[in-house]
Amino acid sequence: MRSPFVRCVLVLMALIVLTAGPVFAQAEAPAGPNSGDTAWLLMSCGLVMLMLPGLGLFYAGMVRGKNVLSSLMHSIIALGVITLQWVIIGYTLAFGSDVGGGVLGSLEHLFLKGIGPDSLSGDAPNQIPLLVFVTFQGMFAIITPALISGAIAERIKFSTYIVFILLWSTLVYDPICHWVWGPDGWLGARGALDFAGGTVVHISSGASALVFCIVLGKRRGYPSGELLPHNLTMTVLGAGLLWFGWFGFNAGSALTSGCSAGLAFTVTHIASAAGMVGWLIAERIHSGKPSVLGGASGIVAGLVAITPAAGFVEPMWSIVIGLGAGVFCYLGVQLKHSLGYDDSLDVFGVHGVGGIWGALATGLFATVGGAGLITTGNPSQFIEQVIGVLASLVYAMVITFILLKVLDAIMGLRVSPESEERGLDQTEHGETGYNI
């Protein structure tokens, strides 16, 4: 028999284990955001924000010297104007609770109402602060209307441009974002795949850019005048910044720092490289010489096309997507010469065509989190991708056309012929890019 002393020790040890158990259990599953995922999303916000000056440099190098500041301003102003729009109404329209039919979010988060410092997004153990998610998605909302500016460069009124991007973001971007990524959005509910914005960002902006440049009309002297890029070194620098920032754009869209982000990061780089090679091959065959501008454009084409597929395809398929983007987007740029519209910096040819190809390619080659037509013989995914492409194209083009007609009647879209001849840097901003 055990002594009384031994029995007391055993009872005391049992009590310690029983009372400490809940404490140990709590220590194993701490409440709060995942620090690694949060850190990655914070960094991704900065990477995507850097794409705005990158886009500004990419576009500004391709315009004439008298419009370099005007082109830069079109990208930079979006950081100010659309940030405020997103905080006030954009986020709630895109990610608020669905108000019916999967078309638009409610106004529950107007001015970010109900979202505090301790609000969390996602499911444990991969939760992040909701404000970080709001900011990350806001960077997408900012860059999307800025993409359109390349199609209308060198002839658009700055005041009208500001009003346009405000209204366009509210009436076009926010609803399409809700369709795909919002709670119960109708395209997302149907199973359409868009990892980082092929439909939401690039198809919507590319389609709207095509409508805008046609409604606005051609630049004076197009196509016979001297409308050559004034500084391609600036464009190459912009392309490099876009490539760098795009890692946050695509890999950040995983919303975690795990395997999905690693896949998106890897295929983004591969597709961009393949896009550059594909464009230069097509250009060499068609025109006889591969150009620096073609290389920079091919980089962006590859980045655009892999965006919807980034978390859904394996690396070898990203080569196919990138090469296809280089060829298809090069051919898309040639459309403006045969059809006669003046898309100044080839927004539809690169972002519109690249976004369409990327969305369809996702339905062809998906193997991770989806089943593509070619990779698994599944036609339903490809059909859903086609539906998403057509719906976004039609909606963006119709609303943009109506919006432009209203703005033209109220404010006017285009600067005067004298202003266009003198250059928008001086007439719209009172500055010159080069005081030599």
Side-chain angles (χ1 to χ4, degrees):
M1 295 181 61
R2 296 188 179 96
S3 67
F5 174 76
V6 172
R7 288 199 296 270
C8 288
V9 170
L10 291 174
V11 170
L12 181 61
M13 291 177 63
L15 288 173
I16 291 172
V17 171
L18 289 174
T19 56
V23 176
F24 294 148
Q26 290 176 8
E28 291 174 0
N34 182 295
S35 59
D37 294 339
T38 301
W40 171 235
L41 260 292
L42 288 169
M43 179 175 289
S44 295
C45 287
L47 287 170
V48 181
M49 181 269 171
L50 185 64
M51 293 172 67
L52 267 295
L55 179 69
L57 291 171
F58 183 79
Y59 280 167
M62 289 191 279
V63 300
R64 290 166 289 179
K66 61 184 179 181
N67 296 312
V68 59
L69 297 179
S70 170
S71 185
L72 280 168
M73 192 64 162
H74 288 157
S75 293
I76 299 302
I77 192 62
L79 275 168
V81 171
I82 304 304
T83 294
L84 299 179
Q85 184 273 350
W86 185 249
V87 169
I88 294 169
I89 194 171
Y91 174 77
T92 193
L93 292 179
F95 289 97
S97 299
D98 187 70
V99 293
V103 175
L104 199 64
S106 70
L107 298 180
E108 63 184 317
H109 297 306
L110 199 67
F111 290 92
L112 300 188
K113 178 184 176 181
I115 300 176
D118 298 325
S119 301
L120 298 177
S121 173
D123 299 320
N126 299 118
Q127 289 180 305
I128 58 172
L130 182 53
L131 285 174
V132 176
F133 177 78
V134 171
T135 304
F136 179 68
Q137 291 295 339
M139 296 300 173
F140 285 64
I142 292 166
I143 198 169
T144 305
L147 294 173
I148 299 172
S149 67
I152 55 177
E154 304 194 291
R155 60 204 190 274
I156 183 69
K157 277 185 174 181
F158 184 63
S159 57
T160 306
Y161 173 75
I162 292 177
V163 176
F164 170 78
I165 63 173
L166 271 171
L167 294 175
W168 186 89
S169 295
T170 305
L171 299 175
V172 178
Y173 178 83
D174 296 338
I176 293 179
C177 182
H178 185 80
W179 296 358
V180 179
W181 295 331
D184 300 315
W186 73 275
L187 280 178
R190 289 183 60 93
L193 299 178
D194 187 359
F195 191 78
T199 300
V200 176
V201 175
H202 298 290
I203 292 178
S204 67
S205 61
S208 298
L210 178 61
V211 172
F212 205 152
C213 71
I214 292 174
V215 171
L216 188 61
K218 304 172 187 177
R219 288 169 289 177
R220 288 170 57 84
Y222 182 87
S224 58
E226 290 295 323
L227 304 174
L228 300 176
H230 89 285
N231 190 343
L232 287 180
T233 57
M234 185 182 292
T235 296
V236 173
L237 175 60
L241 289 173
L242 287 171
W243 195 337
F244 178 68
W246 223 290
F247 290 124
F249 199 88
N250 284 0
S253 293
L255 303 180
T256 73
S257 58
C259 294
S260 181
L263 174 64
F265 195 108
T266 300
V267 299
T268 295
H269 184 67
I270 294 171
S272 181
M276 175 170 55
V277 172
W279 187 296
L280 293 177
I281 291 172
E283 190 174 41
R284 175 66 174 82
I285 294 171
H286 180 256
S287 64
K289 293 182 179 180
S291 68
V292 171
L293 178 57
S297 300
I299 289 170
V300 177
L303 291 167
V304 169
I306 197 60
T307 292
F312 303 124
V313 299
E314 296 174 11
M316 293 309 297
W317 290 115
S318 70
I319 297 177
V320 177
I321 293 174
L323 288 172
V327 174
F328 296 145
C329 291
Y330 177 79
L331 296 175
V333 169
Q334 305 312 307
L335 283 176
K336 72 176 185 179
H337 302 303
S338 56
L339 299 180
Y341 60 86
D342 183 13
D343 181 352
S344 305
L345 309 181
D346 303 320
V347 179
F348 177 72
V350 174
H351 295 276
V353 173
I356 292 169
W357 161 240
L360 297 179
T362 304
L364 294 175
F365 307 125
T367 57
V368 182
L373 176 61
I374 290 179
T375 52
T376 66
N378 174 36
S380 61
Q381 187 62 64
F382 183 73
I383 293 171
E384 294 303 327
Q385 299 303 108
V386 171
I387 292 172
V389 167
L390 293 177
S392 300
L393 276 172
V394 172
Y395 180 78
M397 295 177 85
V398 169
I399 300 301
T400 299
F401 180 79
I402 295 171
L403 181 57
L404 290 174
K405 287 299 183 181
V406 172
L407 288 177
D408 193 22
I410 297 173
M411 303 179 66
L413 297 176
R414 188 165 181 153
V415 299
S416 67
E418 294 76 20
S419 294
E420 187 175 344
E421 185 66 29
R422 190 177 169 194
L424 274 61
D425 288 358
Q426 291 190 34
T427 61
E428 293 290 291
H429 305 291
E431 300 173 293
T432 57
Y434 305 102
N435 293 299
I436 300 175

